[in-house]
Amino acid sequence: MATYEPSDIIYTSEHFILVRQPRPFVSREEGGNMRIYAKREGVQERRDFTPQEAVDFIRLSAAAGEALEKGMNKRGVKVVKINYAELGNWAYKFGHTLVFHEHIFGRVLGAPHQPYPEAVQLPDRASGFYDTFKPLDDDDLRAIKTELEAILAAPKFSDKSRWKLV
């Protein structure tokens, strides 16, 4: 399983963990960056999911994206779009085994480094491109958690029988 600081954890579901990206690809003022990791060892990509994990992942991913958008807008960061990206290619550069994770990016119009509607740029970390990018701060995490709890309690997401999570 991937490693992360306990203070970075936003939410845990039965099969996944939502965390802040400590070294973001999208800086907080440009929308922010979170990741979802599989809890189960050996999950390298979504085709490794069990059916139960697949449903849990889609539910959490959709709710987390909505929470990022709403939470950051309440924090004054005008997120207009959420992008989702299953990445992990860089693990191979360092001889590591891929660990499934999905990035969730908030996108802001007119952002100087990661401008929406352009695709998120992902140059090598050694390029220095991300050196000034800031992760979501603790107040952002509180706002996102508050939104996520409300979203998951709403009928669309709370009906676990509808999601076949019972």
Side-chain angles (χ1 to χ4, degrees):
M1 187 183 314
T3 59
Y4 39 81
E5 295 297 320
S7 60
D8 291 333
I9 297 172
I10 299 168
Y11 183 81
T12 61
S13 70
E14 184 177 352
H15 303 286
F16 296 93
I17 299 171
L18 174 67
V19 299
R20 107 174 89 195
Q21 168 74 9
R23 296 177 58 211
F25 296 128
V26 176
S27 193
R28 77 159 299 279
E29 71 278 2
E30 293 189 6
N33 185 183
M34 304 185 304
R35 289 179 296 193
I36 296 176
Y37 282 102
K39 288 181 179 179
R40 183 170 55 87
E41 295 285 333
V43 177
Q44 294 187 3
E45 54 189 66
R46 67 181 61 217
R47 67 183 179 186
D48 296 330
F49 290 171
T50 66
Q52 192 76 10
E53 287 169 335
V55 171
D56 188 27
F57 172 73
I58 291 299
R59 179 177 175 266
L60 177 57
S61 179
E66 187 175 336
L68 177 63
E69 182 175 346
K70 288 180 175 181
M72 292 307 285
N73 274 285
K74 286 185 177 176
R75 298 274 300 131
V77 178
K78 301 300 179 200
V79 173
V80 297
K81 175 73 174 145
I82 298 295
N83 290 150
Y84 303 86
E86 181 181 332
L87 304 172
N89 302 345
W90 289 353
Y92 293 105
K93 290 169 60 171
F94 305 105
H96 301 151
T97 301
L98 176 65
V99 173
F100 174 82
H101 64 284
E102 179 183 69
H103 287 266
I104 302 174
F105 302 122
R107 305 301 306 282
V108 173
L109 286 171
H113 294 99
Q114 297 284 23
Y116 180 76
E118 300 300 325
V120 172
Q121 299 176 59
L122 297 170
D124 189 276
R125 287 250 185 232
S127 71
F129 180 75
Y130 313 99
D131 289 354
T132 61
F133 288 18
K134 295 178 180 77
L136 297 167
D137 65 33
D138 291 343
D139 290 332
D140 299 333
L141 293 191
R142 279 190 283 281
I144 293 164
K145 283 180 184 182
T146 297
E147 293 300 325
L148 185 58
E149 288 169 1
I151 291 163
L152 290 172
K156 178 179 178 180
F157 290 103
S158 66
D159 182 355
K160 293 194 176 190
S161 65
R162 176 179 169 194
W163 285 89
K164 310 234 185 301
L165 291 172
V166 181

